[in-house]
Amino acid sequence: EDPLTWTSLKGIGPWTAHYAALRGTSAPDIWLDGDAGVRRALPRLAGADPACGAPWRSYLTLQLWASSPDATRSQDNAR
């Protein structure tokens, strides 16, 4: 079943459906532009256009999450 069809279920929105597609089906081109971690890390691209990452924006999303200030802080706290 395609996770993107899950939005017809009450309580499941686009972010959840896209995240499920990214992680559950390994879809390579999921861009979670509305995600708070992605928005915080996006300035690290120095003006680069994420659309240029297609069809591999899932990997860009994962890299932005890993480089976000929140992720760095969490890694520091885990040590």
Side-chain angles (χ1 to χ4, degrees), residues 35-74:
D35 182 82
V38 168
R39 284 195 314 252
R40 280 192 294 274
L42 202 52
R44 294 175 187 240
L45 291 181
D49 183 3
C52 293
W56 307 108
R57 290 177 292 187
S58 292
Y59 303 104
L60 176 58
T61 298
L62 295 171
Q63 289 298 316
L64 287 171
W65 279 339
S67 73
S68 77
D70 292 336
T72 305
R73 233 176 304 147
S74 293

Side-chain angles (χ1 to χ4, degrees), residues 2-18:
D2 180 6
L4 299 180
T5 63
W6 296 355
T7 56
S8 63
L9 300 171
K10 185 177 179 176
I12 297 185
W15 185 93
T16 302
H18 282 100

